[in-house]
C-alpha cells in the first residue's frame, strides 16, 4: 500500500499539515455560513420549555421563526440532559458528541488496519472531511445525523464480526430518535437476521413507549398529526431537499401517487442489491446501500442528512475506484446545488439542482458489493495526493433552518478513503434570501429542524 505523495520527512509533512489546517480553518470560518447551531437551539428551547415551563414539545418555536421540534417524542426524552445546562455548554457537548461519533465512524470504516495509517494520512483525511458539506452543516447546525450513523454502524460492526447477540440495539435506538433509520430493520429481515431484527424492533417500540409514558399528549399528537404534516419540516421543493420527492417537487409534480411509485421502484432495487450483499456476507455494503436508499425515499433529505453516503465512498475506494470516489466526494464539497436556488427549471436545473440526488442514486445502483478484502480496510486507499488549499472564492450559501442547509463551495481534495486524485471546484453563488442559507449572518426564519 503506497503512502500519500508529498514531503517524505516528518518535518515537511508536519509543515504541510499545518498549512492545510490553517487553510481549511480559514475557509470554514469565512466562506460557508456557520449556522449558529440553529437545530441545536430548536432542541434546547424545546426541552427547556417542556421541562421548566410546562410547555408542549411540538408547540415550541424558535423566537422570530416558525420552526420547532419535528422528531419523534423519544428524541426529546433523549435530549433531556440539556435541561440541566446552559446553551453554551449544550453547544460544546454537541460538538464533542459529533466529534466522538465521527471518530467512531472512521474507526469502523477504516477496519482493523487503522493504526497503520499513521498521523500523516489521518491528518490529510481529516482536512478533507472538514470540506464535506454534509459534515460541515451537521456540526454547525448542531444536528444528530452523525450520531445516528454511529449507532447504526455499531450493529454493522457486530454483524460483520459474527458477535451478533446484541445486534439491533443501535438500529432500534436510531429509529426511535428519527424514523429514517427504521429501513435498517428491513435490511436485517432481508439478511435473515431474525434475532437482530426482533431486537431492533423491540428497542424502538420500548423507547417509543417510554416517550409515550413521559408525555402521552405529545406522543398522541406526533403519531396522529405532526408525522403526516411535511410543512412542519420545510418546503419539498427547497433545493436542499435532495430526496426523490425533492426532485419531483422541483419538477412541479409533488403528487403522492407518482412519488409512491418511484419509492417502490427504489426500494425494489435496494432490496435486490442488499440481498446480493448479505449473500456475500458483505455487511458493510448492505449498511451502505440501506443508508443510500433511506436518503432517497425519505420525503425530505436535507444536505446535512447525506452523511449517510460516507460508507459508500469508503467502499468505492476499497473496491479499487478511489478516483471515482474522490470525484463524487469533491462534488459534494462544492455546494453546487445552490447555483439553482432561485430557478431550477430547464435541463440544467433538472441536472444541477439535484446533483446530490443523482450521486446517491448512482451509488445505490453501482456500488460494488461482495468484494470484501479482509487484508485491506475499506479506507486503505488513503490520500495519494496532497489536498490543495481550499479556494476562498466566496460562494453565497443558502441553507435552511434545521433541516435545510447549504454551505459554501470548496475544493475537496484528499479524503483518506476516497481520493485517488479527485478535485472539486468551488462554486460562487448569490446570497440567499432564505434564513441560515447565506454567507451573511443567519436570518431569523430558517427552514425547520429535522
Amino acid at each position: 500500500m503506497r503512502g500519500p505523495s508529498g514531503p517524505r520527512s516528518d518535518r515537511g509533512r508536519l509543515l504541510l499539515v499545518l498549512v492545510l489546517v490553517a487553510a481549511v480553518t480559514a475557509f470554514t470560518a469565512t466562506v460557508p455560513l456557520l449556522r449558529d447551531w440553529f437545530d441545536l437551539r430548536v432542541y434546547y428551547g424545546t426541552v427547556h420549555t417542556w421541562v421548566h415551563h410546562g410547555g408542549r414539545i411540538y408547540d415550541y418555536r424558535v423566537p422570530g421563526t416558525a420552526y420547532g421540534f419535528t422528531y419523534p417524542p423519544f428524541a426529546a426524552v433523549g435530549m433531556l440532559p440539556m435541561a440541566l445546562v446552559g446553551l453554551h455548554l449544550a453547544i460544546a457537548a454537541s460538538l464533542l458528541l459529533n466529534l466522538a461519533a465521527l471518530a467512531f465512524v472512521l474507526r469502523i470504516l477504516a477496519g482493523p488496519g487503522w493504526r497503520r495509517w499513521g498521523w500523516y494520512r489521518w491528518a490529510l483525511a481529516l482536512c478533507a472531511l472538514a470540506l464535506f458539506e454534509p459534515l460541515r452543516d451537521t456540526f454547525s447546525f448542531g444536528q444528530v445525523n452523525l450520531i445516528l450513523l454511529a449507532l447504526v454502524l455499531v450493529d454493522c460492526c457486530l454483524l460483520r464480526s459474527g458477535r451478533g447477540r446484541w445486534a439491533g440495539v443501535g438500529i432500534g435506538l436510531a429509529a426511535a430518535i428519527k424514523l429514517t433509520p427504521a429501513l435498517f430493520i428491513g435490511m436485517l429481515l432481508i439478511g435473515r437476521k431474525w434475532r437482530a431484527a426482533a431486537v431492533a424492533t423491540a428497542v424502538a417500540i420500548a423507547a417509543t413507549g417510554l416517550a409515550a409514558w413521559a408525555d402521552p399528549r405529545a406522543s398522541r399528537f406526533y403519531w396522529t398529526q405532526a408525522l403526516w404534516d411535511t410543512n412542519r419540516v420545510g418546503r419539498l421543493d427547497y433545493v436542499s431537499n435532495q430526496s426523490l420527492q425533492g426532485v419531483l417537487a422541483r419538477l412541479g409534480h409533488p403528487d403522492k401517487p407518482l412519488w409512491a411509485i418511484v419509492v417502490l421502484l427504489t426500494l425494489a432495487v435496494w432490496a435486490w442489491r442488499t440481498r446480493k450483499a448479505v449473500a456475500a456476507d458483505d455487511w458493510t455494503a448492505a449498511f451502505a446501500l440501506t443508508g443510500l436508499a433511506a436518503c432517497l425515499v425519505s420525503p425530505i433529505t436535507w444536505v446535512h442528512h447525506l452523511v449517510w453516503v460516507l460508507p459508500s465512498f469508503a467502499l468505492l475506494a476499497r473496491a479499487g475506484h478511489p478516483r471515482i470516489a474522490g470525484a463524487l466526494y469533491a462534488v459534494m464539497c462544492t455546494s453546487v446545488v445552490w447555483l439553482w436556488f432561485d430557478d431550477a427549471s430547464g435541463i440544467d436545473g433538472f441536472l444541477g439542482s439535484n446533483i446530490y440526488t443523482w450521486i446517491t442514486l448512482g451509488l445505490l445502483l453501482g456500488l460494488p458489493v461482495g468484494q470484501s478484502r479482509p487484508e485491506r480496510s475499506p479506507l486503505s486507499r488513503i490520500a495519494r495526493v496532497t489536498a490543495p488549499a481550499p479556494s476562498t472564492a466566496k460562494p453565497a450559501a443558502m441553507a435552511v433552518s434545521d433541516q435545510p442547509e447549504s454551505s459554501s463551495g470548496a475544493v475537496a481534495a484528499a479524503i483518506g478513503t476516497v481520493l485517488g486524485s479527485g478535485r472539486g471546484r468551488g462554486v460562487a453563488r448569490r446570497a440567499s434570501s432564505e434564513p441560515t442559507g447565506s454567507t451573511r449572518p443567519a436570518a431569523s426564519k430558517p427552514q425547520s429542524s429535522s
Side-chain angles (χ1 to χ4, degrees):
M1 179 174 64
R2 292 174 52 193
S5 60
R8 296 188 179 277
S9 69
D10 285 344
R11 179 176 297 180
R13 289 178 174 182
L14 178 60
L15 179 60
L16 176 60
V17 167
L18 291 175
V19 170
L20 289 175
V21 168
V24 169
T25 301
F27 172 77
T28 54
T30 59
V31 179
L33 175 69
L34 299 180
R35 310 194 195 289
D36 198 24
W37 294 281
F38 184 86
D39 289 6
L40 180 65
R41 290 192 286 119
V42 171
Y43 311 151
Y44 183 85
T46 297
V47 170
H48 271 255
T49 300
W50 182 35
V51 173
H52 297 300
H53 305 290
R56 297 190 293 185
I57 293 174
Y58 297 101
D59 284 350
Y60 173 80
R61 297 291 183 273
V62 174
T65 79
Y67 302 105
F69 202 73
T70 60
Y71 294 163
F74 178 70
V77 173
M79 295 173 184
L80 279 175
M82 283 196 289
L84 305 176
V85 302
L87 178 60
H88 293 299
L89 187 55
I91 290 172
S94 170
L95 291 173
L96 290 175
L97 284 172
N98 274 319
L99 284 171
L102 178 60
F104 179 79
V105 168
L106 293 177
R107 169 66 181 83
I108 293 299
L109 296 181
W114 67 277
R115 289 185 178 86
R116 294 196 298 269
W117 282 32
W119 69 271
Y120 181 55
R121 290 175 181 150
W122 278 113
L124 294 182
L126 292 175
C127 285
L129 283 166
L131 301 177
F132 190 51
E133 184 177 5
L135 274 180
R136 293 199 311 256
D137 282 348
T138 290
F139 278 89
S140 60
F141 270 121
Q143 257 290 339
V144 300
N145 293 291
L146 199 53
I147 297 171
L148 300 183
L149 175 58
L151 282 173
V152 166
L153 286 182
V154 169
D155 289 340
C156 176
C157 184
L158 292 173
L159 291 171
R160 197 172 59 184
S161 65
R163 301 191 303 271
R165 179 178 178 82
W166 295 103
V169 173
I171 290 173
L173 287 173
I177 295 170
K178 198 169 183 177
L179 296 180
T180 306
L183 187 61
F184 287 91
I185 298 177
M187 178 209 67
L188 295 174
L189 294 174
I190 290 175
R192 298 179 181 272
K193 295 296 182 180
W194 313 119
R195 178 187 174 91
V199 169
T201 303
V203 169
I205 292 174
T208 302
L210 175 64
W213 171 80
D215 193 333
R217 183 172 54 181
S219 292
R220 182 168 56 251
F221 176 78
Y222 177 80
W223 295 108
T224 61
Q225 297 183 49
L227 173 62
W228 315 103
D229 183 9
T230 57
N231 291 326
R232 290 180 58 89
V233 182
R235 295 191 345 251
L236 291 176
D237 64 343
Y238 190 71
V239 73
S240 182
N241 182 15
Q242 291 294 306
S243 69
L244 294 172
Q245 177 74 300
V247 174
L248 294 175
R250 284 186 286 277
L251 285 173
H253 300 288
D255 48 299
K256 292 183 179 179
L258 177 59
W259 175 64
I261 292 172
V262 172
V263 165
L264 289 175
L265 290 173
T266 302
L267 290 176
V269 172
W270 160 74
W272 168 61
R273 303 220 66 220
T274 299
R275 185 182 295 276
K276 290 183 62 177
V278 296
D281 201 29
D282 190 351
W283 283 102
T284 304
F287 274 77
L289 290 167
T290 305
L292 296 169
C295 289
L296 290 168
V297 303
S298 174
I300 291 181
T301 297
W302 305 127
V303 172
H304 59 70
H305 295 166
L306 294 174
V307 294
W308 291 96
V309 307
L310 284 175
S312 300
F313 290 138
L315 285 174
L316 269 182
R318 177 195 72 180
H321 306 291
R323 292 179 181 273
I324 295 175
L328 297 178
Y329 180 88
V331 170
M332 296 188 69
C333 292
T334 62
S335 304
V336 65
V337 295
W338 299 97
L339 287 172
W340 290 271
F341 171 75
D342 292 320
D343 183 9
S345 62
I347 295 297
D348 65 316
F350 175 68
L351 296 176
S353 68
N354 304 307
I355 195 166
Y356 293 173
T357 308
W358 306 141
I359 289 175
T360 308
L361 184 60
L363 288 170
L364 179 67
L365 294 170
L367 191 69
V369 300
Q371 300 185 22
S372 297
R373 302 175 186 176
E375 73 281 3
R376 303 179 69 179
S377 73
L379 303 187
S380 62
R381 295 176 176 267
I382 179 118
R384 293 183 182 171
V385 293
T386 296
S391 165
T392 53
K394 220 175 193 177
M398 41 225 77
V400 109
S401 88
D402 201 76
Q403 268 358 59
E405 66 266 9
S406 118
S407 293
S408 70
V411 177
I415 177 170
T417 85
V418 170
L419 275 181
S421 61
R423 297 192 179 188
R425 182 178 301 175
V427 294
R429 43 198 166 88
R430 291 173 297 164
S432 163
S433 59
E434 293 283 339
T436 73
S438 72
T439 55
R440 300 171 298 172
S444 60
K445 293 170 89 177
Q447 181 93 350
S448 157
S449 97
S450 82

